Structure formats: C-alpha cells, structure tokens
Amino acid sequence: MKVTMQRVNKAVHFIAYGSDGHSILMDGSEAIGGEGKGVRPMETVLMGLAGCSSIDMVMILDKMRQKLEDIRIEVVAERADEVPAVFTKIHVSFFLKGDLKEKKVAQAVDMAFQKYCSVSKMLEPTVEITSSYVINEVEES
Amino acid sequence: MKVTMQRVNKAVHFIAYGSDGHSILMDGSEAIGGEGKGVRPMETVLMGLAGCSSIDMVMILDKMRQKLEDIRIEVVAERADEVPAVFTKIHVSFFLKGDLKEKKVAQAVDMAFQKYCSVSKMLEPTVEITSSYVINEVEES
C-alpha cells in the first residue's frame, strides 16, 4: 500500500493521494499555522478507524443475514495535553437502521473490534478504545 | 476531536466529516465489495502519518531557519497476510527542496518521529516505522 502527498501552500496545507488516485485535503490547526483548508492529520486516523470498523460491521451483519438499511458513525477522541498529543481515549458510536437483532449487532461490534478492524488493532496498545451502538434510534448499550 | 461518517451506498462507500466540515470519501477494496469510490481506511492512516510528520518537519525546519521551498512525501507500507491485516512496516520518504543543511534536515526528521508526530507515536509499538530523505533530488540517507 502506498500514498503520496504534496504541499499545496507555504503553510501546512497538503494534498494526499491514495492508490486509486483519490485525494484528500489536509491542513494543520490554526495554532500551528494551518488555515482550515482540509482535514487534520489526526482526524484522518479517526476516519480510518470509523471506516474500517464500519466496513467490518457491514460485512459481518451481511454474513449474519441481518438487514442493515443504513449506518452512521460518530467517533470522539481525547488527546494528551502534552507533545506528542496522542489519543488517550477513543469512543466509536454506531447508529444503525434496519431489521436487526440486538444480539447480532452486539456480536458484530465485538467481532469488528476484537478480530477484524486493522486500525483498531494497531491503536489498541496505546489508546483506550470503546464502542456503543444505537439501533433504530433506541439506545441498546 | 470528533469525526462523523455516513454510508453513501449499499456497499461500503462512506463520506467522513472532520471538525471543520471538510469531508473525505472512503471505500473498501474490491475484494470486500468496494467500488473504488474513495480512499481506503488504511490509506487514511498512512495519510495521517504523512501529514503529521510533514507538518512537524515544516515547523521544525522553520524554527531552525532552514529555507524549505517545497516538500513531497511518499509512504509505503507492508501489511500482515492474515486478519487483522495490520501494517507491519511503514517507510516514510521526504523529498525536500530548498536551501537546506543536510545535518539540520537529519535532526528535523529525528525530532519529528522521536518527539512530535502523534500518529507515529501511536503506531510505533506495533509497526516498524522507518524514514529517509532526499534534498534537492540528491539522496542524502
């Protein structure tokens, strides 16, 4: 897997390219000279965690023959006060819609984080990662 | 720090939003039903590593009064063959242009990875991360 990145301006605005040619815009926070022209690098890590765990959820629920109609994700993270400002805690919330059995969803979340999600597995040793889910807007756990 | 994500289609295509409202498109690989409509979640992690280490490089070289005119980055990663397909090795290459002293660049790279880059610090315990740099297209290390 390979990505490339190029600076866009003299501050800290960059454009990064993935292997399929898709690009994303990145920028630093204002505190370090950024101008809000893209997502922040640490945000892309949270997006990666959201993406990989959600793709796993979609695949696992499909294998379980659960009818997932929609999925929305929120990821909230706390960072260390000092440099390096690593994440100390991350919470991933899944908001699911569909004809879903609560027990199956609970199993799918467990499997996603315990077995499949590569991003979670890499962060696990240094970050406390927790998760929860809401099915059809009724909070289940 | 908070990010949100929403599924775009019935496969595994998602749109993720950062705190400033900037969005990125994500999709899974074809092997798992993706359709190449966005960057892959694991790529976003590499982009985050590229972004945070490069922003650190820009800031450190500026403090060192080194005149950086341009910076381009390549990140190449190897993944585990089995699930979870975590990164096993990541190499970050910096291609720098400007009136730069080689010794200062070497120090800046060291400081970025040893002290400042949050993404690198979080991945370090599980992934072997190496780096190199090229100044004005003459390979220095």
Side-chain angles (χ1 to χ4, degrees):
Chain A
M1 183 170 267
K2 181 180 178 179
V3 305
T4 58
M5 198 176 76
Q6 174 68 48
R7 186 157 75 157
V8 178
N9 70 15
K10 287 277 179 186
V12 288
H13 181 33
F14 290 87
I15 182 165
Y17 297 92
S19 48
D20 284 340
H22 291 283
S23 62
I24 75 171
L25 296 172
M26 270 194 280
D27 206 343
S29 67
E30 284 184 18
I32 59 166
E35 301 167 315
K37 291 180 174 174
V39 295
R40 289 167 51 185
M42 286 289 272
E43 288 182 336
T44 66
V45 176
L46 297 182
M47 290 170 172
L49 177 63
C52 96
S53 58
S54 298
I55 288 173
D56 291 335
M57 286 287 287
V58 168
M59 294 179 70
I60 295 165
L61 289 171
D62 185 57
K63 280 184 189 165
M64 288 173 167
R65 299 184 185 179
Q66 297 295 294
K67 289 184 181 165
L68 179 67
E69 285 168 21
D70 202 7
I71 178 170
R72 177 171 69 80
I73 302 92
E74 289 183 12
V75 183
V76 178
E78 291 177 26
R79 297 179 68 171
D81 292 331
E82 295 179 357
V83 166
V86 294
F87 292 130
T88 52
K89 291 181 184 181
I90 300 176
H91 186 80
V92 182
S93 308
F94 297 100
F95 298 86
L96 308 160
K97 280 186 188 171
D99 184 9
L100 304 161
K101 285 183 185 158
E102 194 270 337
K103 196 178 169 185
K104 295 288 185 184
V105 171
Q107 282 178 354
V109 173
D110 272 352
M111 288 174 72
F113 286 99
Q114 297 306 316
K115 186 174 179 186
Y116 290 100
C117 178
S118 321
V119 179
S120 176
K121 283 290 167 195
M122 292 190 299
L123 297 176
E124 233 175 43
T126 56
V127 190
E128 185 187 334
I129 301 174
T130 52
S131 59
S132 61
Y133 55 87
V134 175
I135 302 173
N136 296 324
E137 301 301 318
V138 179
E139 193 154 359
E140 298 284 344
S141 81
Chain B
M1 181 170 270
K2 181 180 177 178
V3 305
T4 58
M5 197 175 76
Q6 174 68 48
R7 187 157 76 157
V8 178
N9 69 15
K10 287 276 179 184
V12 288
H13 181 32
F14 289 87
I15 183 166
Y17 297 91
S19 47
D20 284 339
H22 290 284
S23 62
I24 75 171
L25 295 172
M26 270 194 279
D27 206 343
S29 67
E30 284 184 17
I32 59 165
E35 301 166 314
K37 292 182 174 171
V39 296
R40 290 169 49 187
M42 286 289 272
E43 288 182 336
T44 66
V45 176
L46 297 182
M47 290 170 172
L49 177 62
C52 96
S53 59
S54 298
I55 289 174
D56 292 335
M57 286 287 287
V58 169
M59 294 179 71
I60 295 165
L61 290 171
D62 185 58
K63 280 183 188 166
M64 288 174 167
R65 299 184 184 181
Q66 297 295 294
K67 289 184 181 165
L68 179 67
E69 285 168 21
D70 203 6
I71 178 170
R72 177 171 69 80
I73 301 93
E74 289 183 12
V75 183
V76 178
E78 291 177 27
R79 297 179 66 171
D81 292 330
E82 295 178 358
V83 167
V86 294
F87 292 130
T88 52
K89 291 181 184 180
I90 300 176
H91 185 81
V92 182
S93 307
F94 297 100
F95 297 87
L96 308 160
K97 280 186 188 171
D99 185 10
L100 303 161
K101 285 183 184 157
E102 194 271 336
K103 196 179 167 184
K104 295 288 185 185
V105 170
Q107 282 178 353
V109 173
D110 273 353
M111 287 174 72
F113 286 99
Q114 298 305 318
K115 187 174 178 185
Y116 290 101
C117 178
S118 322
V119 179
S120 177
K121 284 291 166 194
M122 292 190 297
L123 296 177
E124 235 175 42
T126 56
V127 190
E128 186 188 333
I129 301 174
T130 53
S131 60
S132 61
Y133 55 87
V134 175
I135 302 174
N136 297 324
E137 301 302 317
V138 178
E139 193 152 1
E140 298 284 344
S141 80

